[in-house]
Amino acid sequence: MTTMVILIALVFSKFFYLASITSYYTFYLIHHFGVSVQSAQLFLFLFLAAAAVGTVCGGPIGDRVGRKLVIWISILGVLPFTLVLPYTGLTTTAVLSVIIGFVLSSAMPAMIVYAQELVPGRVGMISGLFFGLAFGMGGLGAAAVGVIADHYGIVFTYRLCSFLPMLGLLAMFLPHIQAHNRGASSGGKAVRAT
């Protein structure tokens, strides 16, 4: 149960931060750098494309190096980039946002499969829970970021949101899970937490 709470907190961190980027990144670029709407949308496209590639790559990387390591690196490892992002120039902001999108999005496949191995035989329940949480956290995150931005400004909001990946420290409390048949974790094989 504790492990599931940690995973949910990690999902919160990931999708709350992603909501701040996907919903308000163009406004941040226009306000902070004075770019045109078209240029801001191009930067957002680069971020979203990197996030899509990160999601696709996260699964195979997790199969090779371990899901816990991918979860750890993809959420906490993105922290230096998110902390620097609000203080950089336009070009560096574009490069950092691509790195953040790729690295942060690689966590989702690893988290879902990790949770499925934790609760074998409940693939549908775990998938539904995490995808539901992902969309819900994204919606709540977008609303909360909007309220903060209205009161304190978009630049302050990005500086505040840059600390969200610190929740990745919780990954150190995730147990190591060994599947007896790693390639068939969805088939209800027994798993062992050590």
Side-chain angles (χ1 to χ4, degrees):
M1 183 62 179
T2 304
T3 303
M4 294 299 285
V5 171
I6 292 171
L7 287 173
I8 289 168
L10 295 175
V11 169
F12 166 80
S13 167
K14 174 187 184 307
F15 281 94
F16 202 98
Y17 186 80
L18 285 176
S20 74
I21 295 283
T22 55
S23 299
Y24 301 101
Y25 189 48
T26 54
F27 300 112
Y28 172 76
L29 293 172
I30 292 167
H31 173 78
H32 195 58
F33 297 109
V35 300
S36 66
V37 173
Q38 291 84 358
S39 296
Q41 289 173 341
L42 180 61
F43 285 114
L44 179 60
F45 168 78
L46 291 174
F47 169 79
L48 293 174
V53 173
T55 301
V56 172
C57 293
I61 294 171
D63 289 340
R64 287 191 174 197
V65 302
R67 294 175 233 309
K68 183 177 176 182
L69 182 61
V70 170
I71 293 168
W72 175 268
I73 291 173
S74 66
I75 296 179
L76 187 61
V78 83
L79 182 63
F81 304 111
T82 62
L83 290 175
V84 170
L85 182 69
Y87 303 98
T88 60
L90 181 60
T91 303
T92 308
T93 295
V95 172
L96 288 177
S97 66
V98 168
I99 294 169
I100 290 167
F102 178 84
V103 175
L104 194 58
S105 294
S106 65
M108 194 60 178
M111 283 193 280
I112 291 173
V113 175
Y114 182 92
Q116 288 171 345
E117 290 177 344
L118 190 67
V119 187
R122 302 280 187 216
V123 175
M125 180 192 79
I126 293 298
S127 298
L129 174 67
F130 276 84
F131 280 111
L133 277 172
F135 288 113
M137 295 292 184
L140 290 173
V145 169
V147 170
I148 296 169
D150 284 344
H151 283 86
Y152 301 104
I154 193 76
V155 175
F156 172 83
T157 303
Y158 267 78
R159 289 177 181 165
L160 182 65
C161 289
S162 69
F163 290 94
L164 281 169
M166 274 190 181
L167 287 175
L169 287 169
L170 293 173
M172 74 174 65
F173 299 110
L174 293 174
H176 178 69
I177 295 178
Q178 284 184 320
H180 292 299
N181 187 355
R182 187 174 281 283
S185 61
S186 62
K189 299 290 182 183
V191 295
R192 178 166 49 93
T194 57

